[in-house]
Each structure stands twice: as C-alpha cells, then as structure tokens.
Amino acid sequence: MASPSRPALPPHLRLLSPRQLPPLRPPRRRGARSRVLSALPSPSPSPPSQQRVSTASLEHGPGPGPSAAEQQPRPHDQALAAEVARLSAARARLRAARTLGDKLRALDAEPRVAAFFGDASSRGVLGGLRPREAYLLKCLVAAGQDHVLGAELGWAGAGGHERHRNGGGGGSALREALYSLADLVGRWSEEGAADDEAGSGETELLLGRLLKFLGDIEEFYDCVGGIIGYQIMALELLSVSKSKDSKHRHSKDKFVDFHVPTGLNLLEDTEYASQAALWGIEGLPELGEIYPIGGAGDRLGLMDSDTGESLPAALLPYCGRSLLEGLMRDLQAREFLHFKIFGKQCITPVAVMTSSVKNNHEHIVAICERLEWFGRGRENFRLFEQPLVPVVNAEDGKWLISESLLPVGKPGGHGAIWKLACDRGVFEWLYRHGRKGATVRQVSNVVAATDLTLMALAGIGLRHNKKLGFASCERRPGATEGVNVLIEKQNLDGLWEYGITCIEYTEFEKYGISEPTATNGSLQASYPANTNILYVDLQAAQEVGSRKNASCLPGIVLNLKKAVSYVDHLGFECSAAGGRLECTMQNIADNFMNTYSYRCSKGIESELDTFIVYNERKKVTSSAKRKLKSEDRSLHQTPEGSLLDIMRNAHDLLSSCSIEVPEVKDNNEYLHSGLPFIIFLHPALGPFWDIVKQKFIGGSISKGSELQIEVAEFLWQDVELDGSLIILADNIMGSTKRNTDGEQVLHYGARYGRCKLQNVKIVNEGISWDSPSNVYWQHHVERSESLKIILHGNAEFEAKDVVLKGNHMFEVPDGHRMCIIQDEAGFTVKLDPISKEMMDSGTWYWEYTLDGAHVKLNMVDLCGDGTNCRFLIH
C-alpha cells in the first residue's frame, strides 16, 4: 500500500515513523409543520397494523416575520460573518494563484500573516523551513489560529527571552509568539546545534507533528480550500447553529417532503428474500468489503489493563475475540458458503479506513499481523488512514489546543471514506480485484451479518445495478440514530427529485422530525432506523469522492450537542462546548437522486438508484458503543445489551429447529443478573438460517446451559443439553497453505474438522453463574464442569445414543476419528485413523445444492470404509 503523501521536512529534521511519535492524547428551528401528501401515500414497511407516517413539508413562502429585535444582527453574528467574508476572499486569492510561490505571496499580503511574521517572514522566522512547510504555517495564521503558535503554551526558547531583555519583545502577544516560533525553527535549522541542545528531540516532534496535522487538513480538504476552507465551513455552520432560522442541506429547494420508504421486507416476502440473498452469495466475486473503523470509541472507555493506554473500539474483546476479528469471521462464513455452493475459492478484498486516534492504525495492523492477515494474504487488505481534524470552540470558532503546538484533533466522521478512498487509490485497487460493488458495515454492530440481511442487500444492489442500498429496521425511541426517508423535492428549475437518504438525529429539529414515542399509538408509524449497513456501487461512489467541491464530503455537519473533553497544554482535564466538521458516509445518497419533470406517485422506489431492505431490529443492528455504568437503567448500545440480542437470535433460530430453548426476557430483567443461557454458533454453520436449520434437529437446551460450536461441518440431532458443551476446531472451514510470498492462506473445504451428535444427553454443572469474575459479553466465565471437544486438523468426533455426565474433555488428534459408544459402565472411546483416501474429504460431509431460491443440504457419508452411503437428513 502506498503511503499517504505528507509535507516534506527539511533534511536536518529527522523523520519519525508513527510508532516513534508519542501517542496523541485524545480530547477527552423550529421544525416545519407536518402534513400528509396524498400524492405519495407510501405504505409503511412495518406490519399492516401500523399507519403511514406524516411527513414534514418544508415549503418556502410567507410566514410570521421576525420581530424588530430579531432583525437586528448581534455583534457576535456580525463578527462571524465578517470573518467568513475575510477568509472567503483569502481563499479566492489562493485559488487564483498558480504556483506555490504565488500562494505564499498571496498569504504574505494577508494582514494577519503580515502582523504575525513581520516584513521578512520568508527569510527570517521561517527561513529554515521548506516553502510547503512555511505555506502551512501561514495558512494556520491566515485562518485566525495564530494562538496555536502562541507563547502562552510555554515552549518559548531561551533565545526569545534574551530578545525580551534586549527590548525586542514589545510586550505584544503576537511578537512573543513570533519569537517563540523563530527559536523553535532556529534550534533545529542550525546544523549540529540541535544534537547538543537539550530538548531538541522534543522540538522535532512538536513541529513535525504540527506540520503533519496541517498537511493532512490541507490535502484532504483541498476540495473546499484546505485549511482556510475548513475554517470557513466550520464558521458557516457555527453561525447557522446560532441562528433562529436554522438551515439544512435542502434549504435551497422550493419544496421538500419526506415519506416512509418502501422496500423488500425480509420477514414477509421470504421467497424473494432467499433469492436476493443467493444473488449476493453468487455475486461475491464482484463484491468488496469496506470497514470504517477509525472512530475513537470514547464511550466504551476501553483501556489496556497492563499499560493503561486508551484503546480504539475495534479492539473490544467481545465474545472471546476483538470486534475486528468478528467482522472477518462473518465475511469468511459467506465465502465458505460460496465455496460450498459453487465449488470455487473466493477471497474478498477488504478496505479498512483507520485513523491515528488512540494509535488506531497501529493497533489494526498489529491484529492483522498477529493473526497472519486472517489467512487471506496481505494483498487482500488495503488500510488507509483517516486524517484528524481540529475541534473548534462553539463560541468563536477558535481551535482548541491540547498539547504544545498541537490542536485537539478527532476523526472527521466516516463520510471521509469516499474522498479518502479516491485520494489513496482504494477504488482502483478494488477494480483490479474485479469488484463492482461493496458492502459497508461498522465494527460496533455485532449482528449486521445475521441471517440474510447483508447478502440480500448486496444481491439486490448487484442484480438491479443500484447505486446505493440501506439495510434498515424499526427505530427504537430515544436512540441516538438517524432515520431513512424517501425524500421528495422540487428544485428551483421546477424539476422533481426522489431518492432514499438519511437524516441524522442531530438534525431532526431542523427538519421538523419529532422523536418517536411508545405512547403515540404508532411509534411514529414510522421512519425506519438508519443502521449504516450499506451496499454501494463502486463507480458511483468514486464519482462523488473525486469531485473537487464540497459534495465529495456528504452530510457535513458541525455537531455541537456534546461537550468536548480533552487534556490541555498544561496537562489539565478540560471540557468545552465545541465540535469538528463531520461528514456521514450514508449521506452520499444525496448525490444519487432521480429527477423527473413531473411529480411522481406511489411506488416510485422501484425505479430509483437508491433502495432499502427491512428486517427485524435484532437481526440488523445491535451495537457495543458505550460502557455500562452502575447507574444506568438501560442496556441500549452496551456490550451487555447487544449480547442479549445475540441470545434472542439464537433462541429464535434453534426454537425453529424444534429445540426447546428458554425465553430471553426484556433487557431490564438482566441489568444486574446473569443470562438465561449462553449460545455462540460460528457463522459458517450457515450463515443463512435456512441452512443452520438443516444441521440442528430436535432436542433441548436447559436454562443456565452454555453451547459454543466452532465448527462448520456439524450435526445436532435430538441432543439434550443441561450444562456446558464446547466444541472447538483448529480448522473450522478449511486449512491453510503457504503461498509464494510465504503467507498462510486459508483454502476452504480442505482438511477441516467435523462433529456429529445424535441422540446424546449431556449433563454437567456447567457455568458457575454466581462467580463474581464472570463477564458474559467477553465470554469470560468460570465453569464447574463442562464437556469440551477439541478437534485438531481434520479430526472428527461422533457420539450416538449415549449419555455423557460430568466433566469431560475429548481431544482428537489430526487425521483421526473418535467415536463415543454407550456401554454398561457408561461409555467407551474408540479412536481410529482416517484412511488416506478420505483425508481431504473426511468420512462424511454436507453437500450443498440449489433448489430454486433455497440451499438444500445432503449428508454424504462414506461410512468410514470408502463406500458412498449418501442420504438426506431432514
């Protein structure tokens, strides 16, 4: 992967890798009237008992005018407007400049730059810098952020104080900052002196980090004017946030209305849902996978127990593995299913957007390297780092400062992914892998790949050449999540535009969208939840991301609803009202509107370039985003709450297999207690539930039991479980072989473990539910007894017509088959080598065949002696 371009540093400035840099300490209108448009009576995707939602009509026309007092601009508003005008003029002059030299001369003519650097700025203070570096610092000052270089930060050198003693300081804060900067540059521009001077290494770090920070902003926001353009957008949005006449991104249209979008309901149209999911599995060789995982995850409060280092959300140890590993398990399960149906190996290229916050990028690389790139080969990953952006004060737009010479920086939202993917060549990389579309999901949503949802979404997108698709569900009242809407608007040319898009929860008030409640009779009847599970056409996304204007940064907002916590330059914990520019990846949909010369009526969704599919909430979204606190009354968005949804899905799945499973009650029942059971099923058992149902038939799971199955070739038939059953295989879906680069690459279907349980009763003490050390969502539990089966290599385990009581562990070596047989004393263990003829195929295997829109499983049993004993298990 090519490294992102960075501003060059002088030869005498030692370039430091990200690992050598010290970790950045993280910064700890009224709504419009509602009415129903009879021209577009969109039925709700929810069950028929719910009603169509009222839509918000945002028409431009006469209304109650502002009072005389409201008409008078406030001094603060005037100051913001004047600053925006000044910066806009400066941006225009920079855009007109053709060369870097012309740009530097344009900046030198700016009053702020001239006042800060003086008449000889190029040869004096900044003489030790390269032109590009001088340009970045001048942009910083021109943008009104000279306080970042201020003397109050306490890094002025001895030379600056000497000048003051000689009368050169003048008492001016700007002059003091100038001397400090001159000292800083001078100390590492004098050859040999820096090595002898105390603190020179720190000097390199300070200025090097600042220049990288500024260079990243200048490069990424080049579409709006770089550093100065960023500040203009921040001030404009800050001004809007303070205005009583709050605007939104559709304010320029003559008419805007929202409707509940219709789309495929996976629960209701099950036949078409199965067909769409098969399209997705069949089209897997044309799909890439995109993960935006650069977020800080501050609300999780995740820390390294040994070092105390704050860790990013992707490292959360969830259900026995990191969240990132969970994403890869889900993906490999889909690839395994493609192999079983079509007999072809398919390795999906994975693009991962990381960031530097909490050393996110380095941690992601470390996980991938430790797990040998998940048996996929390094060439099938593309990691690209999202730049941090400055946080502005909500009062005056000044950048907040954390450490010396370093503004408070945070990722600028997952909407950066489209432009960044263009800048870093990610789209071209995906094309080289033969990809046409991609599925997008976030690392914190642990149920996104449940059953059909993700593949049905991708299947429809590929089959019907759509540009963007949303996977959605009912919205939970009070949830901090946006909604999907069908937008209908008339532009200034009189044309009508339609598309499915997203409104973020932070903008509900602007658009007149009220918060749904459980008491209004219809749960708002109901705009569905935006879950950030997307299908995207790569060419369509690249076209947007490559634009040279603000439209390549979709849904850009300045979110000021939450206070910003950070550590200031003196080491104090601070909290301030502020925010940074954030764009949202799902609002790329605003660029995919379909235009008509007439107003359309019901059913327009099928013609649009955007689409939506629905499933029940616990199969679509359940996130681990925040740490549960002792005073909390809700498990929503906590690891504990999402685990309960996994258990609910397990209950629904196994109950449909004629297996008795205890009910999972409301979350409130488990705020301060254990679970009714723990069931973890490897996704390669399906991942579609119709496939899993053919591997599980009958039996029961008692309350308080634990079931963990880490094997894909599996049969459960009339098994009664009362206690803990754990089945672990080294090779779950296949085995690894070294490629020409010496990397271990997983080959699906080759020499992997198998397990059959038929008419087996398992009884043991299981989990010690009273143990205070249990952390269920981590799957860290104490057990009194368990039945554990460990399969090495292509080992096989079979038990039939047997009762297994007490604590047992059966470990089967590679190349062997273990059978448990009932006898008078209890049971007998029989261990036999697998014949050479069956080393690759195993003594039995599931054969997947297509029957219309469904996958049927036939068990092919070679009877252990090479004879074919094919039969169908229902």
Side-chain angles (χ1 to χ4, degrees), residues 605-767:
E605 288 93 335
S606 62
E607 301 179 18
L608 301 179
D609 289 327
T610 50
F611 69 102
I612 193 167
V613 301
Y614 295 96
N615 209 336
E616 59 181 321
R617 186 177 178 92
K618 64 176 178 284
K619 282 187 173 183
V620 180
T621 182
S622 190
S623 297
K625 288 185 175 181
R626 67 178 183 87
K627 184 178 182 179
L628 182 66
K629 300 177 182 178
S630 58
E631 66 272 18
D632 281 346
R633 295 185 178 183
S634 170
L635 296 177
H636 181 57
Q637 292 191 334
T638 66
E640 290 85 353
S642 60
L643 179 63
L644 282 168
D645 282 330
I646 292 176
M647 296 304 105
R648 291 186 180 97
N649 285 327
H651 168 272
D652 293 352
L653 171 58
L654 296 182
S655 294
S656 66
C657 303
S658 301
I659 300 173
E660 296 179 17
V661 185
E663 290 281 349
V664 182
K665 299 178 182 178
D666 184 83
N667 282 3
N668 293 333
E669 298 287 333
Y670 306 104
L671 266 171
H672 306 290
S673 65
L675 305 173
F677 55 80
I678 290 179
I679 297 177
F680 293 127
L681 306 179
H682 194 284
L685 286 162
F688 300 164
W689 283 15
D690 278 350
I691 295 174
V692 182
K693 290 176 185 178
Q694 298 175 70
K695 298 179 179 180
F696 287 79
I697 308 119
S700 64
I701 298 175
S702 299
K703 183 177 180 180
S705 291
E706 174 191 22
L707 175 63
Q708 181 184 7
I709 301 178
E710 294 288 308
V711 62
E713 294 285 50
F714 179 74
L715 173 64
W716 164 300
Q717 190 170 29
D718 297 322
V719 177
E720 298 179 21
L721 173 61
D722 184 2
S724 290
L725 170 61
I726 301 169
I727 304 172
L728 306 176
D730 294 341
N731 298 346
I732 298 173
M733 297 166 283
S735 56
T736 60
K737 297 180 182 178
R738 292 201 177 273
N739 62 13
T740 54
D741 296 326
E743 297 176 309
Q744 292 282 2
V745 176
L746 175 62
H747 291 261
Y748 294 115
R751 296 178 64 98
Y752 57 108
R754 292 166 171 81
C755 181
K756 283 196 292 188
L757 303 176
Q758 295 172 281
N759 192 27
V760 177
K761 186 174 182 178
I762 300 166
V763 181
N764 57 63
E765 292 296 320
I767 291 176

Side-chain angles (χ1 to χ4, degrees), residues 210-254:
L210 177 62
L211 289 171
K212 181 187 183 305
F213 183 82
L214 296 176
D216 287 346
I217 300 169
E218 182 69 19
E219 178 185 355
F220 182 75
Y221 289 97
D222 58 357
C223 56
V224 294
I227 294 169
I228 292 176
Y230 178 93
Q231 188 64 14
I232 291 171
M233 295 188 75
L235 292 179
E236 287 176 338
L237 291 170
L238 183 60
S239 179
V240 167
S241 71
K242 296 177 179 296
S243 170
K244 292 188 176 181
D245 184 23
S246 187
K247 297 181 180 179
H248 50 78
R249 64 182 186 271
H250 302 294
S251 296
K252 295 181 180 179
D253 296 297
K254 292 169 64 176

Side-chain angles (χ1 to χ4, degrees), residues 9-14 128-130 185 188-191 194 204:
L9 296 178
H12 50 269
L13 177 59
R14 175 167 50 93
L129 296 175
R130 290 182 178 180
V185 173
W188 52 263
S189 40
E190 297 172 4
E191 288 192 23
E204 294 172 358

